[in-house]
Amino acid sequence: MTVQRTLFAFWGRVSTEDHQDPGSSRGWQLTRARHLIEPHGGRVVAEFFDVDKSRSIPPQRRPRATALLAALADPRRGFDAGV
């Protein structure tokens, strides 16, 4: 029996207003995402990560979130879901 893996795109963000380190923030968010999906056969195959100012900015105004939203419209995008 073969197990079907679900392929995920990871999206995260970090605030520069709070002087957060983008590298460590991306790392803990990606680790948390993997802990959520891997026990269920999921695997992160694409990453979208925004470094910007306020959490009040909607995804449509964030460059990497916008790229993820555009990728979702492409049936050849290479992933099944987002995390």
Side-chain angles (χ1 to χ4, degrees), residues 3 5 8 31-43:
V3 175
R5 294 181 70 81
F8 283 85
T31 297
R32 180 68 181 130
R34 286 182 171 140
H35 283 200
L36 290 170
I37 65 170
E38 287 177 352
H40 306 285
R43 183 168 57 108

Side-chain angles (χ1 to χ4, degrees), residues 10-15 20-30 46-52 62-65 68:
F10 162 74
W11 177 68
R13 63 161 294 278
V14 63
S15 171
Q20 296 174 347
D21 174 53
S24 63
S25 185
R26 180 194 153 277
W28 74 258
Q29 290 179 53
L30 184 55
E47 293 185 32
F48 300 83
F49 192 77
D50 282 305
V51 177
D52 49 32
R62 300 175 188 277
R64 299 304 294 151
L68 172 58

